[in-house]
Amino acid sequence: MAEGYDLVVIGTGPGGYVCAIRAAQLGLSVAVVEKRGSHGGTCLNVGCIPSKALLHASELYEEAGHGFADMGVKVSPKLDLKKMLAFKDEGVSGNVQGVDYLLKKNKIEAFEGTAKIAAPGQVEVSADGAQTRTLNTKDIVIATGSDVARIPGIEIDEKKVVSSTGALELSAVPKQLVVVGGGYIGLELGSVWRRLGSEVLIVEFLDRITPGMDGEISKNFQRILKKQGMRFKLGHKVTGIDTSGKGCKVEIEPSQGGKAETLSCDVVLVSIGRVPYTRGLGLPEAGVKLDNMGRIITDEHYKTDVDGIYAIGDVIAGPMLALKAEDEGVAVAEILAGQAGHVNYGVIPGVVYTFPEVAAVGKTEDELKEAGVDYAVGKFPFTANGRAKVNRTTDGFVKILADKKTDKVLGVHIIGPDAGNMIAEAAVLMEFSGSAEDLARTCHAHPTLTEAIKEAALAVAGRAIHM
């Protein structure tokens, strides 16, 4: 059976479904192919959304047990993990159903099954127990996302040794949890289980957590997490995990070589990053080339070296973020419709949803130093912010980096309460090439946490008021 479309999108994660919707808005006939039983990809099903539900619930649980009494609210919280996981699943279901509704609303035809590019303009869809279906299309967009990275020789059974997916489904709170990897995902999920009662140890190959983050922010972030009870083993690598006993025996040694040691725990979370998911798509046969990291090679318009085949999101170069994939999905849809789709890669926010949150957009101080840029720094601590004081959320600060000659804001870094929402103000400013002076002279509501951003902007010129 053959059917014809203007566009077939492979994968309905944030990049894929957004691309399909934008293309349909622009008048293209669109079909999507999804092998998972539900839309939304890793993000909605086993990533961003469920992890945020558990972060929210566990944060409230910890606050009820340790913070409420100081505010005159006396409670004795009791954990019902099964109910908390059900709360998480309910949130996932609602979001997934929302994507399904949006696809139908925009008259996008959805096919369930595994996609393979048979040739430019032809996508074969195979599903268990069904005849292979061929979709004929003018263009193809690959938006298949990424998979968890694995440690060679170590099996992830999603019981004792889990990936981020298994860490969202643990049936009991582990007494001891070892997290392999000090990046965003490992720290978020480690935070969830620490709040619920686990002793958490982070094992990181490098000598710092959150590589790529501004160095000063990263250092303070680790200090705060340590104060909360997380332990760290930096500059170490895992060489083996023995799961034959009741728990796990984790063999580690210094990254640069040295004396090995054994850690005991109930569960190991392997969170060392993600890799592009391109298996089974028939890319070599179609002539689509990959780079040495397994990513699909594209030009600035997301086109592969094969006419009519495009790629976006985690399968191409750049940060593996849902928001980046969404913007690329919109851009490629507009390009295919004859418009000038574009993504400003200099203004892509990144957020770690721990407590406090960490958010950043633009350049780090290390990057500016390396590039030889003459810059000024403005910082303002939440200890000096009125709203943070009364809320008892004073850990962290705002840091603004601006060009010393032009005052143009080059980077904004926030560690503090609600940083993920506050970073949007900085992103909007930077989209319009705004200056620290612009930000400093913008009236902010009082009393709010965002006043710390205004004060940091004032501090760039050495004129913060409340510090």
Side-chain angles (χ1 to χ4, degrees), residues 15 30 56 100 123 160 256 298 310 366 411 417 466:
V30 185
H56 175 64
D100 188 52
V123 176
K160 289 185 178 180
Q256 305 304 319
T298 63
Y310 299 78
D366 296 330
H466 293 91

mmCIF file of all heavy atoms in Angstrom, residues 15 30 56 100 123 160 256 298 310 366 411 417 466:
data_model
loop_
_atom_site.group_PDB
_atom_site.id
_atom_site.type_symbol
_atom_site.label_atom_id
_atom_site.label_comp_id
_atom_site.label_asym_id
_atom_site.label_seq_id
_atom_site.Cartn_x
_atom_site.Cartn_y
_atom_site.Cartn_z
ATOM 1 N N GLY A 15 10.896 17.351 19.103
ATOM 2 C CA GLY A 15 11.286 17.855 17.797
ATOM 3 C C GLY A 15 10.338 17.395 16.705
ATOM 4 O O GLY A 15 9.873 18.183 15.880
ATOM 5 N N VAL A 30 0.979 16.031 6.083
ATOM 6 C CA VAL A 30 2.016 15.481 6.955
ATOM 7 C C VAL A 30 1.594 14.146 7.566
ATOM 8 O O VAL A 30 0.439 13.976 7.967
ATOM 9 C CB VAL A 30 2.349 16.462 8.100
ATOM 10 C CG1 VAL A 30 3.518 15.937 8.945
ATOM 11 C CG2 VAL A 30 2.669 17.847 7.559
ATOM 12 N N HIS A 56 9.179 17.467 41.814
ATOM 13 C CA HIS A 56 8.191 18.319 42.497
ATOM 14 C C HIS A 56 7.645 17.625 43.740
ATOM 15 O O HIS A 56 7.620 18.209 44.832
ATOM 16 C CB HIS A 56 7.051 18.639 41.524
ATOM 17 C CG HIS A 56 5.918 19.403 42.137
ATOM 18 N ND1 HIS A 56 6.063 20.677 42.643
ATOM 19 C CD2 HIS A 56 4.613 19.063 42.341
ATOM 20 C CE1 HIS A 56 4.908 21.098 43.125
ATOM 21 N NE2 HIS A 56 4.008 20.135 42.960
ATOM 22 N N ASP A 100 -1.306 13.677 21.234
ATOM 23 C CA ASP A 100 -2.181 12.911 20.344
ATOM 24 C C ASP A 100 -3.308 13.806 19.827
ATOM 25 O O ASP A 100 -3.652 13.797 18.635
ATOM 26 C CB ASP A 100 -2.743 11.705 21.104
ATOM 27 C CG ASP A 100 -3.510 10.754 20.202
ATOM 28 O OD1 ASP A 100 -2.951 10.346 19.163
ATOM 29 O OD2 ASP A 100 -4.671 10.443 20.516
ATOM 30 N N VAL A 123 9.323 5.873 2.842
ATOM 31 C CA VAL A 123 9.507 5.398 4.211
ATOM 32 C C VAL A 123 8.670 4.146 4.408
ATOM 33 O O VAL A 123 7.453 4.154 4.190
ATOM 34 C CB VAL A 123 9.074 6.469 5.239
ATOM 35 C CG1 VAL A 123 9.193 5.913 6.666
ATOM 36 C CG2 VAL A 123 9.915 7.728 5.094
ATOM 37 N N LYS A 160 18.634 -3.603 39.343
ATOM 38 C CA LYS A 160 19.731 -3.203 40.216
ATOM 39 C C LYS A 160 20.606 -2.146 39.554
ATOM 40 O O LYS A 160 21.090 -1.223 40.219
ATOM 41 C CB LYS A 160 20.578 -4.417 40.594
ATOM 42 C CG LYS A 160 19.916 -5.394 41.550
ATOM 43 C CD LYS A 160 20.894 -6.481 41.937
ATOM 44 C CE LYS A 160 20.287 -7.462 42.939
ATOM 45 N NZ LYS A 160 21.260 -8.518 43.316
ATOM 46 N N GLN A 256 42.687 8.668 36.095
ATOM 47 C CA GLN A 256 44.025 8.658 35.507
ATOM 48 C C GLN A 256 44.848 7.449 35.954
ATOM 49 O O GLN A 256 46.066 7.395 35.750
ATOM 50 C CB GLN A 256 44.772 9.944 35.886
ATOM 51 C CG GLN A 256 44.031 11.215 35.520
ATOM 52 C CD GLN A 256 43.670 11.285 34.056
ATOM 53 O OE1 GLN A 256 44.470 10.923 33.190
ATOM 54 N NE2 GLN A 256 42.453 11.735 33.762
ATOM 55 N N THR A 298 24.377 17.290 8.855
ATOM 56 C CA THR A 298 23.466 18.150 8.104
ATOM 57 C C THR A 298 24.134 19.493 7.812
ATOM 58 O O THR A 298 25.134 19.848 8.438
ATOM 59 C CB THR A 298 22.166 18.431 8.891
ATOM 60 O OG1 THR A 298 22.496 19.146 10.093
ATOM 61 C CG2 THR A 298 21.438 17.140 9.247
ATOM 62 N N TYR A 310 16.101 15.226 5.831
ATOM 63 C CA TYR A 310 16.537 16.209 6.819
ATOM 64 C C TYR A 310 16.604 15.551 8.203
ATOM 65 O O TYR A 310 16.050 14.474 8.416
ATOM 66 C CB TYR A 310 15.564 17.394 6.856
ATOM 67 C CG TYR A 310 15.458 18.131 5.549
ATOM 68 C CD1 TYR A 310 14.702 17.613 4.487
ATOM 69 C CD2 TYR A 310 16.111 19.345 5.349
ATOM 70 C CE1 TYR A 310 14.607 18.291 3.277
ATOM 71 C CE2 TYR A 310 16.011 20.032 4.146
ATOM 72 C CZ TYR A 310 15.264 19.489 3.111
ATOM 73 O OH TYR A 310 15.185 20.161 1.919
ATOM 74 N N ASP A 366 34.391 30.972 31.481
ATOM 75 C CA ASP A 366 35.526 30.243 30.914
ATOM 76 C C ASP A 366 35.593 30.413 29.402
ATOM 77 O O ASP A 366 36.674 30.579 28.822
ATOM 78 C CB ASP A 366 35.419 28.754 31.259
ATOM 79 C CG ASP A 366 35.501 28.497 32.756
ATOM 80 O OD1 ASP A 366 36.171 29.286 33.443
ATOM 81 O OD2 ASP A 366 34.891 27.525 33.232
ATOM 82 N N GLY A 411 26.099 36.417 28.569
ATOM 83 C CA GLY A 411 25.720 35.197 29.272
ATOM 84 C C GLY A 411 25.078 35.523 30.608
ATOM 85 O O GLY A 411 25.437 36.519 31.243
ATOM 86 N N PRO A 417 16.317 29.595 43.639
ATOM 87 C CA PRO A 417 14.925 29.151 43.521
ATOM 88 C C PRO A 417 14.301 29.637 42.216
ATOM 89 O O PRO A 417 14.464 30.790 41.831
ATOM 90 C CB PRO A 417 14.250 29.807 44.732
ATOM 91 C CG PRO A 417 15.109 30.996 45.052
ATOM 92 C CD PRO A 417 16.503 30.572 44.723
ATOM 93 N N HIS A 466 21.038 46.990 46.638
ATOM 94 C CA HIS A 466 20.791 46.257 47.878
ATOM 95 C C HIS A 466 21.949 45.372 48.308
ATOM 96 O O HIS A 466 21.756 44.369 48.998
ATOM 97 C CB HIS A 466 19.506 45.440 47.743
ATOM 98 C CG HIS A 466 18.291 46.300 47.637
ATOM 99 N ND1 HIS A 466 17.784 46.726 46.420
ATOM 100 C CD2 HIS A 466 17.481 46.835 48.596
ATOM 101 C CE1 HIS A 466 16.709 47.478 46.639
ATOM 102 N NE2 HIS A 466 16.510 47.572 47.951
#
